[in-house]
Amino acid sequence: MATPNTGFDPQAFRAALGTFTTGVTIITTQAEDGSPVGITANSFNSVSLNPPLVLWSLSKKARSLPVFSGGKHWNVHVLSTEQESLSGRFATQGEDKFAEVPFDNGVSEAPLLQDCTARFQCRTAFQYEGGDHVIFVGEVLAFDHSERAPLAFQSGQYALAMRKPRSELRLATTPPPECSYTEDLLGYLLGRAHYQLLNALRRLLDNQQLDEQAFYILSVLCIRDNLSLEEINTFVSYTGHEVTLPSMRFLERQNLLAIEGEPGQPRFVLTAKGREASLHQLALAKMVEEELAAKLDAADAQALKVLLKRLIMVSDPGLPDLWAPR
């Protein structure tokens, strides 16, 4: 059981509040002189459906408080995962927050930002004293939303929201055998997902008369050209496939790459045909990914990529960065 914190240490209280995951919003309005004003806030919440009311709060120390208190209209923008940098900009003082930020036309003069997960255009209905904050309650005059994955905030860091099924998913239809190997084993889940995805791509590659090793080789050379056989193997060793000189000569005979360099020290360069073939392969891979992402939901797909990147980082045996500048 958690120990109650009866001392109300402000830092500990803040940390406890931070465990509550919220969305991230930008609230905008227009000052009397016509200049746009905006701040980042995660205090946004719904109040009522009928009438449609929402609320958010602003510190009494905020420099923008007089503008919001004196204004009649403000807009709430629920940010998408692609707008993390915009959140940081509007949370910072001393810079032109609205520089090169496009607006849409709204029901008021308050700036209406683009590419958000949701937007609520509001008119102030009530203002309340809330300790060291002022609580603004607004009547929603108009709203819209998109399928963009929402940005989240938890324990002082940006986060991604991912839906959890109402009940635990089971892949198997019969009880597991009496052993320690279950369908919840991370290796099993990663392996099965990998091979199912690869199988879908392999069927498309078969039509191109290229196998998956050729896919790896051409993909590497498309990103970083003029490599030795040893260098190519450092980039594909994680796949368990070893690239050999005969396999490279096979691709050369298909005019997909050229072999250059001194005798005994060959280096491999993509031909125009090889680059075209690689780009086509990557287009097929992206098509498979897009079909899968459409079944997952945009937010789940984004969260999955972040988790996989973290897993790659913690399990990396020291592979070189293929995309790093040479």
Side-chain angles (χ1 to χ4, degrees), residues 203-251:
R203 290 198 300 269
L204 298 177
L205 291 177
D206 286 344
N207 295 331
Q208 308 300 311
Q209 297 182 334
L210 293 171
D211 59 16
E212 80 183 64
Q213 186 183 61
F215 174 82
Y216 294 138
I217 295 171
L218 296 183
S219 297
V220 167
L221 292 176
C222 191
I223 300 168
R224 182 176 292 198
D225 209 357
N226 192 28
L227 297 177
S228 68
L229 191 63
E230 181 180 3
E231 289 171 328
I232 292 173
N233 272 309
T234 61
F235 291 120
V236 302
S237 60
Y238 72 92
T239 68
H241 294 271
E242 181 181 1
V243 180
T244 63
L245 186 58
S247 62
M248 300 302 284
R249 293 200 181 281
F250 172 77
L251 295 176

Side-chain angles (χ1 to χ4, degrees), residues 270-287:
L270 271 187
T271 62
K273 180 181 177 182
R275 185 167 298 277
E276 181 180 353
S278 178
L279 293 176
H280 185 64
Q281 288 178 345
L282 292 174
L284 294 176
K286 288 181 179 180
M287 182 178 70

Side-chain angles (χ1 to χ4, degrees), residues 285-308:
K286 288 181 179 180
M287 182 178 70
V288 172
E289 177 183 325
E290 288 172 359
E291 291 177 352
L292 178 63
K295 298 176 182 178
L296 280 178
D297 176 82
D300 292 348
Q302 183 70 17
L304 177 61
K305 289 181 181 180
V306 171
L307 289 174
L308 289 175

Side-chain angles (χ1 to χ4, degrees), residues 149-167:
L151 183 63
F153 196 74
Q154 202 269 335
S155 295
Q157 292 184 324
Y158 291 111
L160 294 174
M162 187 172 67
R163 296 176 304 172
K164 188 178 186 301
R166 292 180 182 272
S167 58

Side-chain angles (χ1 to χ4, degrees), residues 47-165:
V47 176
S48 169
L49 295 179
N50 186 21
L53 299 175
V54 297
L55 67 76
W56 65 286
S57 63
L58 181 60
S59 171
K60 291 181 178 179
K61 297 180 180 179
R63 293 193 298 179
S64 58
L65 180 60
V67 179
F68 282 103
S69 295
K72 294 182 179 180
H73 295 90
W74 35 270
N75 295 332
V76 180
H77 306 83
V78 179
L79 300 187
S80 68
T81 54
E82 291 81 12
Q83 295 177 305
E84 182 177 324
S85 61
L86 197 63
S87 169
R89 178 195 292 196
F90 277 80
T92 305
Q93 297 182 359
E95 65 173 294
D96 185 0
K97 301 177 181 180
F98 291 90
E100 301 181 1
V101 175
F103 302 155
D104 283 335
N105 293 324
V107 299
S108 72
E109 296 302 319
L112 188 61
L113 308 181
Q114 299 178 353
D115 301 327
C116 302
T117 297
R119 304 184 296 187
F120 301 88
Q121 301 180 60
C122 305
R123 175 173 56 209
T124 299
F126 311 101
Q127 293 185 41
Y128 298 105
E129 294 282 328
D132 56 6
H133 279 60
V134 174
I135 301 170
F136 292 88
V137 178
E139 176 189 4
V140 179
L141 305 177
F143 71 93
D144 60 85
H145 65 97
S146 70
E147 296 300 319
R148 293 181 177 89
L151 183 63
F153 196 74
Q154 202 269 335
S155 295
Q157 292 184 324
Y158 291 111
L160 294 174
M162 187 172 67
R163 296 176 304 172
K164 188 178 186 301

